Amino acid sequence: MSFPDFNKNGDLPVGIYPATLQETLDRFGEGSLQRQLVARRLVKVYRLAKSTDRLSRFVIYGSFVTNKENPNDVDVFLVMDENFDKDAFGSEVRKVFEHLESQNDFGVSIFWARKQFILENEQLFIEDWQIKRDKTRRGIVEIIEND
């Protein structure tokens, strides 16, 4: 996947960019020591979420997928299958699904929902994660499996 250039604000253009984890790390996990550290945190959380075998979508938004030299953390939204039960897993996996614990222990801001609780169209729900605090939009990245 070839990501587009950043816009004048340092963001990806509006859109959802599907990419493998490795493609995402190649583009956004290089550079400053802080960026590399945040990338390692992302990998850990991805592997833990994936280990549940209930991960449907893994979306990255926020400063990590911008040209900011030193993003503080990485922001993630997870869509989990309907039958996902976080209590069926060990404590490390459960931390991924507890917002404050994931922020404190992993340095990753994670929000998540089961598919059945996304009341509107799932794609539109994901697209809304492009909205920034100032109500403008920027591009986001969705991790996809390797072919």
Side-chain angles (χ1 to χ4, degrees):
M1 160 6 97
S2 177
F3 289 99
D5 291 335
F6 295 113
N7 65 23
K8 65 181 179 174
N9 298 320
D11 298 323
L12 288 172
V14 173
I16 300 173
Y17 299 95
T20 65
L21 179 61
Q22 188 57 56
E23 289 168 334
T24 303
L25 295 173
D26 289 347
R27 174 69 187 270
F28 301 105
E30 304 290 323
S32 71
L33 184 58
Q34 174 65 17
R35 189 165 272 288
Q36 292 172 42
L37 174 65
V38 171
R40 286 195 296 274
R41 294 173 182 165
L42 172 67
V43 169
K44 181 173 186 170
V45 166
Y46 178 76
R47 289 183 178 151
L48 289 169
K50 191 80 177 138
S51 75
T52 68
D53 291 325
R54 301 288 187 257
L55 178 64
S56 179
R57 299 180 82 170
F58 190 98
V59 177
I60 306 167
Y61 64 99
S63 63
F64 183 72
V65 291
T66 70
N67 71 351
K68 185 175 180 179
E69 185 176 346
N70 293 303
N72 291 328
D73 65 3
V74 60
D75 301 294
V76 173
F77 181 73
L78 308 174
V79 177
M80 304 303 290
D81 292 340
E82 290 87 356
N83 58 353
F84 171 71
D85 177 8
K86 68 179 179 153
D87 295 326
F89 298 92
S91 63
E92 190 169 34
V93 170
R94 280 196 312 268
K95 286 180 190 178
V96 169
F97 302 97
E98 297 293 338
H99 183 78
L100 291 177
E101 288 186 44
S102 64
Q103 184 70 50
N104 292 336
D105 292 357
F106 302 129
V108 179
S109 180
I110 303 171
F111 294 92
W112 68 280
R114 288 182 194 91
K115 281 185 170 214
Q116 77 250 32
F117 295 117
I118 299 175
L119 300 176
E120 58 188 270
N121 177 292
E122 183 177 317
Q123 188 63 22
L124 292 175
F125 189 84
I126 296 296
E127 288 174 6
D128 279 347
W129 289 94
Q130 295 177 95
I131 300 173
K132 296 169 37 175
R133 289 183 182 145
D134 66 4
K135 305 298 183 211
T136 61
R137 290 181 175 260
R138 64 177 162 205
I140 60 179
V141 175
E142 181 172 1
I143 301 298
I144 57 170
E145 293 291 321
N146 292 331
D147 291 330

